[in-house]
Amino acid sequence: MSEICLIVDFGSQYTQLIARKLRELHVKSEVVTPKISLSEIETRKPLGLILSGGPSSVSDENAPHLSFSLEDLRIPVLGICYGMQWMVENLGGKVGGGEKREYGVEKIQIEGGRLFTEAGELSVLMSHGDHAAKIPDTFKITARSKKGVIAAIEHKERQLYGLQFHPEVHHTQNGNDILRKFLVACRFHFDWKEKNIFEEMKQHFVAQVGEGRILCALSGGVDSAVVAVLLNKIFPGQVDCICVDTGLLRKNEIQDLAKLFADKFHFPIQIIDSSEEFLSALKGIKDPEAKRKTIGRLFIEIFERESKKLKNIQFLAQGTLYPDVIESISFHGGPSAVIKSHHNVGGLPERLPFKLVEPLRDLFKDEARRLGEFLGLPHEFVWRHPFPGPGLAIRVMGDVTAERLRLLREADARLQEVLRESGWHEKLWQSFCVYLPVQSVGVMGDQRTYEDMIAVRCVHSEDGMTAHIAALPTPILEKISARIINEVRGINRVVYDISSKPPATIEWE
């Protein structure tokens, strides 16, 4: 098994970003609850432990904490923000109140230390009220903020470190270098790469599935395609791939997928045309959560129905990703808020006739893409922009109808063509159109029109957890608008979404 770093989730919104940053550095990481015991850690044999930030004060009655002292743990530990404060208290220091609150990018003065390259100023992201008032006698201060707050500490002898700032966010200068230095202190070999990921998945799923048959739910997107190829490589002859044509996919998506699998991987896909069922089930539903739940329920009903036509199906495989889980539930029962449910997670009924197989559940999107390339999927397919499980249903605001889906599908096809022709497609994390049930006055051929509206959304992101707008050049925006309005009958206005995440989400619903 690969070397691993455990990350204790004290409730920070950045906890999963820490995991992502470590994986970018080719170190396997796993988020665990503060309820983890010392004996469990010793059994897992991690090379290092990171304590995340969190919204609590260490003095709060119900503040999260570990049940043991770090004195009893003989591996390197890095405490971040709340994690540093808990480390200080746990080892005999004191944490003070919030008279020196710091939120946002601040300058700190480096005074030395093993995690920093050299002394001098560093720009970092602070997000704290409390701070270390007195550090344990066995520690020394390695950085301070302009307000005099202790910004970094380290044990004089052991590999124990504390950072009051967040090295995992891109606002922090040299954040990746700081994390890498900690991982070097842990003696990682930085070998968590696609081959290792595949081998561990193979070992895990061979033990879970054995000789059982798997029903693989293909949605038409990248994630489920990676799952299908992965499982067919591990279990040749044991996987039945069913692709449900919901009528909610992008233009020609089903046909392109069938051709890819037939030509490249030579295993069959059964395509079930269920578009009328989905349209009927969605009729009159405007609430986005109700749409997601309806689509998730119907997916399962269809797979149940189709599985009865197959022999001995025991497992249902789907392409759930780590961000799907993060946004759908409060991670490890912590304080993180539920943002929205995903059909792969919150849409499933409580009782399933299958056991779930979710190979990508612990992977971020970029990890799943790289795994797909390793497995042989074409680059241009693997690096397509993310597409939501509920499909175009959550890109049609309000009622979902066949005509609205047609308008949206044709508009989005024009958007993608312009982005590819201009070289912008691969520069973006995600791009798509949204149908708005808003009509406005226009003029075409000297005649008045009163037609529908399309919103265009293009964003930059690293993992979908945060995003900022893409500043497309005005000529590109004009070309997108002209192609949609001139070629998609029924649309006479195009608008550009300039909202970042947060406060908005990437998808509109």
Side-chain angles (χ1 to χ4, degrees):
M1 299 294 287
S2 294
E3 303 165 343
I4 189 170
C5 182
L6 297 182
I7 303 166
V8 177
D9 181 11
F10 282 137
S12 171
Q13 294 292 335
Y14 296 133
T15 299
Q16 290 76 32
L17 184 55
I18 301 172
R20 174 180 162 75
K21 290 297 182 182
L22 265 57
R23 294 181 192 185
E24 287 179 354
L25 294 168
H26 302 300
V27 167
K28 184 180 181 182
S29 58
E30 183 179 328
V31 178
V32 297
T33 171
K35 295 179 181 179
I36 191 169
S37 66
L38 178 61
S39 61
E40 185 177 352
I41 291 177
E42 290 173 342
T43 300
R44 298 286 304 275
K45 296 181 180 179
L47 295 188
L49 185 74
I50 295 179
L51 310 177
S52 84
S56 303
S57 293
V58 292
S59 58
D60 289 349
E61 182 178 352
N62 296 317
H65 63 277
L66 295 172
S67 61
F68 53 87
S69 171
L70 295 181
E71 292 282 8
D72 301 324
L73 194 63
R74 310 315 298 177
I75 59 175
V77 180
L78 171 63
I80 297 174
C81 198
Y82 175 90
M84 168 178 157
Q85 295 165 16
W86 185 85
M87 173 186 284
V88 166
E89 287 253 333
N90 182 257
L91 295 175
K94 292 184 179 179
V95 173
E99 70 277 2
K100 295 182 178 179
R101 296 158 63 90
E102 294 174 310
Y103 293 95
V105 177
E106 300 277 350
K107 295 284 188 181
I108 64 172
Q109 186 65 39
I110 307 300
E111 301 177 5
R114 299 186 292 269
L115 295 188
F116 304 106
T117 302
E118 57 186 15
E121 274 194 349
L122 207 62
S123 295
V124 302
L125 181 72
M126 292 284 199
S127 182
H128 70 93
D130 295 349
H131 61 275
K134 180 182 181 299
I135 65 172
D137 293 338
T138 51
F139 280 72
K140 66 178 181 179
I141 297 170
T142 57
R144 299 177 193 267
S145 75
K146 293 290 187 181
K147 294 181 180 179
V149 169
I150 298 172
I153 60 175
E154 67 181 36
H155 196 281
K156 295 174 183 176
E157 298 177 359
R158 296 180 55 194
Q159 301 289 350
L160 302 178
Y161 305 91
L163 302 173
Q164 187 54 68
F165 59 90
H166 290 270
E168 68 274 23
V169 300
H170 73 271
H171 304 81
T172 293
Q173 186 181 354
N174 299 337
N176 279 3
D177 290 339
I178 293 169
L179 290 173
R180 175 177 280 277
K181 283 184 170 61
F182 171 71
L183 298 172
V184 169
C186 297
R187 301 183 182 276
F188 280 101
H189 290 90
F190 303 96
D191 58 358
W192 176 242
K193 299 180 181 179
E194 289 70 39
K195 182 179 179 180
N196 295 28
I197 293 172
F198 173 73
E199 291 301 330
E200 285 205 12
M201 283 184 176
K202 182 176 180 179
Q203 182 177 345
H204 172 79
F205 288 112
V206 165
Q208 179 186 358
V209 173
E211 298 182 358
R213 293 201 64 82
I214 306 168
L215 177 59
C216 184
L218 275 168
S219 68
V222 173
D223 306 327
S224 61
V226 173
V227 170
V229 175
L230 173 75
L231 293 177
N232 272 281
K233 282 187 178 290
I234 298 175
F235 303 105
Q238 291 177 234
V239 184
D240 292 285
C241 290
I242 293 180
C243 184
V244 175
D245 184 356
T246 64
L248 305 173
L249 300 179
R250 291 168 288 200
K251 190 174 181 178
N252 298 329
E253 196 152 31
I254 291 290
Q255 297 91 325
D256 292 345
L257 184 73
K259 187 175 188 306
L260 170 65
F261 278 74
D263 295 350
K264 177 77 175 178
F265 298 104
H266 312 295
F267 58 80
I269 299 173
Q270 183 182 356
I271 298 174
I272 310 298
D273 185 358
S274 303
S275 53
E276 291 299 325
E277 284 186 79
F278 278 89
L279 270 178
S280 177
L282 289 167
K283 187 175 182 179
I285 297 178
K286 298 180 180 180
D287 179 74
E289 278 297 285
K291 288 181 184 178
R292 291 173 179 272
K293 298 289 186 181
T294 299
I295 292 166
R297 172 185 57 77
L298 191 51
F299 256 102
I300 293 301
E301 288 179 2
I302 292 170
F303 283 121
E304 285 184 31
R305 184 178 70 209
E306 295 302 322
S307 70
K308 292 177 182 177
K309 303 175 185 178
L310 303 169
K311 293 182 179 180
N312 304 319
I313 296 294
Q314 297 171 270
F315 298 91
L316 171 64
Q318 59 179 12
T320 306
L321 286 173
Y322 207 10
D324 296 339
V325 178
I326 296 165
E327 288 196 341
S328 297
I329 62 174
S330 179
F331 200 78
H332 290 295
S336 302
V338 174
I339 309 298
K340 58 188 176 184
S341 66
H342 290 255
H343 88 283
N344 281 347
V345 184
L348 298 180
E350 292 184 6
R351 298 184 65 183
L352 283 171
F354 329 103
K355 298 175 183 177
L356 278 180
V357 173
E358 299 176 306
L360 310 182
R361 188 179 177 88
D362 294 325
L363 298 186
F364 290 97
K365 187 76 177 187
D366 57 322
E367 292 179 298
R369 291 185 196 274
R370 288 195 294 271
L371 179 62
E373 280 198 283
F374 171 79
L375 294 170
L377 283 163
H379 175 86
E380 60 274 13
F381 178 86
V382 166
W383 291 97
R384 290 190 305 169
H385 293 171
F387 188 66
L392 298 181
I394 60 167
R395 292 179 180 173
V396 170
M397 301 296 101
D399 290 324
V400 180
T401 67
E403 175 61 11
R404 290 179 173 184
L405 287 168
R406 181 192 71 81
L407 292 172
L408 177 58
R409 191 176 288 114
E410 294 298 331
D412 193 73
R414 272 67 177 183
L415 168 66
Q416 302 307 325
E417 286 174 10
V418 173
L419 291 175
R420 286 191 172 90
E421 290 167 1
S422 63
W424 267 91
H425 189 270
E426 290 206 8
K427 298 177 184 178
L428 301 171
W429 165 265
Q430 195 168 8
S431 63
F432 56 90
C433 290
V434 179
Y435 171 87
L436 304 181
V438 176
Q439 292 186 313
S440 66
V441 174
V443 178
M444 289 186 181
D446 296 327
Q447 293 186 339
R448 178 185 184 273
T449 62
Y450 193 57
E451 295 179 326
D452 296 335
M453 187 183 302
I454 288 289
V456 172
R457 180 83 157 132
C458 297
V459 298
H460 297 297
S461 181
E462 291 187 354
D463 54 18
M465 300 301 293
T466 61
H468 59 280
I469 62 168
L472 295 184
T474 300
I476 301 297
L477 290 172
E478 289 177 335
K479 187 171 184 180
I480 291 167
S481 177
R483 289 222 35 205
I484 292 173
I485 292 172
N486 291 336
E487 299 176 22
V488 183
R489 187 177 297 273
I491 301 297
N492 72 349
R493 190 175 299 271
V494 174
V495 298
Y496 192 55
D497 183 350
I498 59 171
S499 310
S500 294
K501 176 185 180 180
T505 53
I506 296 178
E507 297 286 347
W508 279 41
E509 289 193 341

